[in-house]
Amino acid sequence: MSWMAWTVPTAIFFAVIACLLVTFTILAIRFPETPRVGVLRIETTRGDRLFITLLGSAFINLAWLGLVSAPQWGALIVCLIYAAAVFRWV
């Protein structure tokens, strides 16, 4: 795979995303759910909330890179708080 410069953080990122997808697939099979309506007033399932979380986290990280001169670990903390809020209230 010489076409891409794989670094440890990049590999960890993709491994975490893959583990999340497998975990959510197993949860959907073992514990089916009905969609729920949250503060966005749209029906969402676990997978929808995961997608919203990943998309929002990407924007948080981009904004952090462009606007804040602090280390990227701070953005991770903000993303974790955001993820908890999405899964709780969306």
Side-chain angles (χ1 to χ4, degrees), residues 17-52:
I17 298 297
C19 288
L20 280 170
L21 292 174
V22 168
T23 302
F24 274 65
T25 300
I26 292 169
L27 283 173
I29 293 169
R30 294 223 26 192
F31 307 105
E33 69 170 335
T34 56
R36 70 176 195 202
V37 177
V39 296
L40 294 179
R41 298 291 174 226
I42 58 172
E43 288 186 350
T44 59
T45 62
R46 283 184 212 107
D48 297 331
R49 291 188 292 275
L50 176 64
F51 179 75
I52 292 168

